[in-house]
Amino acid sequence: MKTYRNLLFLAVGCAFLMSSCGASHTTHEEAGTFKVSQPIQQDTILIKEYVSQIRAIQHIELRALEKGYLQKIFVDEGQHVKKGQLLFQIQPTIYQAEFQKAQSEVEFARVEYENIKALADKDIVSQNEAALAKAQLEKAKAELALAQAHLTFTEVRAPFDGIVGKFEEVRLGSLLDEGELLTTLSDNSKMWVYFNVPESEYLDYAMSSNDSLEVVKLRLANNRLFSESGVIETIESDFNNTTGNIAFRATFSNPNGLLRHGQTGNILWPKPLEGVTMIPQKATFEVLDKKFVYLVDKEGTIQSREVKVEGELNHIYLISSGLKSTDTFLLEGLRKVENGKKIHFELINPTEVLEGLHLHAE
């Protein structure tokens, strides 16, 4: 009986040791088959997005050019006006009187000059007196022109077609000082959209001969695209030393008047890329703001590698460095593996992988 118990204990011990050895072996080789793939290289278009400020092509302040009481307001806030249209009338009584006085002085000086000139022609008075009378006439004419200008300044007219802005605390009967702000006027027929571009992207643009890089789109605050395309027309002269950016300006036609001065939006700038390396976003993981993939060698050994992301499309990263076209990376199950482990894997065609991503996106 004692011999039987010893043999039983020996058998259990051997079984335990065998199971321990098997468990130790599985720690070096993960169970199951993992899907792997390779990068694909092809031409694509990367859409870069920039926060932008929208400005009217002309936006000015309208101010009172003379001191006086505001007698009439002919327009309302937000109204479309035409060039030369009368907007505000400052009480012209005093300026009208000064203008009439100046007219009378011109007439008086003219009569006096004509009389003295007639006498000078008959040598009754000297030519110097005639010259002095002529000078008095020219002085009176200048004073008349000045009085007429003051009278004209009592009328505030639109210098161009545009939209009237908010009235700045001006009401009928308000006593206005010279230079006091009345409102603003915006010409929204075209809009200037400003956005800041990093130095590296500025250099790519400046050194490129591709005309298509000048065409941009505008995403509005409601996340819809503006119907018109814009054209990059100018770049500021210097960089912002604090941010390292430089301001670009794109011009958009605004035929329906949808855009207004002061709006915000996002510029969408399509940039064609040739032979860019592409991988699924799900094949990457992040450590301290850096992107990594798990590479798989021919024996199935896992090794992590950092990759640099140049941009992203829908479910796809564009890789600028860190991967070769012949590298094989883990496609799924990233949380189930770690460096140095071996796996069984199945290689999936890269084209099939990308097509599957597009179907998922739809």
Side-chain angles (χ1 to χ4, degrees), residues 78 125 139 180 223 244 254 281 307 343:
V125 298
K139 179 182 178 183
E180 186 168 343
N223 211 34
N254 190 29
Q281 292 185 13
V307 294
I343 62 170

Side-chain angles (χ1 to χ4, degrees), residues 58 94 106 133 160 163 165 209 212 248 263 269 290 301 348 357:
Q58 291 189 91
I94 295 177
V106 167
F160 51 80
I163 301 176
S209 59
S212 65
F248 278 52
Q263 280 183 254
W269 193 0
K290 295 181 179 180
T301 303
I348 307 298
L357 294 174

Side-chain angles (χ1 to χ4, degrees), residues 211-228:
D211 293 338
S212 65
L213 287 175
E214 297 180 356
V215 179
V216 295
K217 298 292 288 185
L218 177 63
R219 177 183 288 144
L220 303 177
N222 62 356
N223 211 34
R224 295 186 179 182
L225 286 181
F226 184 54
S227 59
E228 303 289 324

Side-chain angles (χ1 to χ4, degrees), residues 55-58 189-195 197 202 205-206 210-217 229-237 246-254 267 269:
R55 296 288 182 263
I57 195 169
Q58 291 189 91
S189 59
K190 290 184 178 181
M191 306 300 289
W192 284 343
V193 181
Y194 293 87
F195 59 102
V197 174
Y202 156 76
Y205 171 79
N210 190 344
D211 293 338
S212 65
L213 287 175
E214 297 180 356
V215 179
V216 295
K217 298 292 288 185
S229 295
V231 178
I232 296 174
E233 290 188 339
T234 189
I235 306 171
E236 281 194 4
S237 60
I246 192 169
F248 278 52
R249 189 190 79 199
T251 301
F252 287 78
S253 294
N254 190 29
I267 284 290
W269 193 0

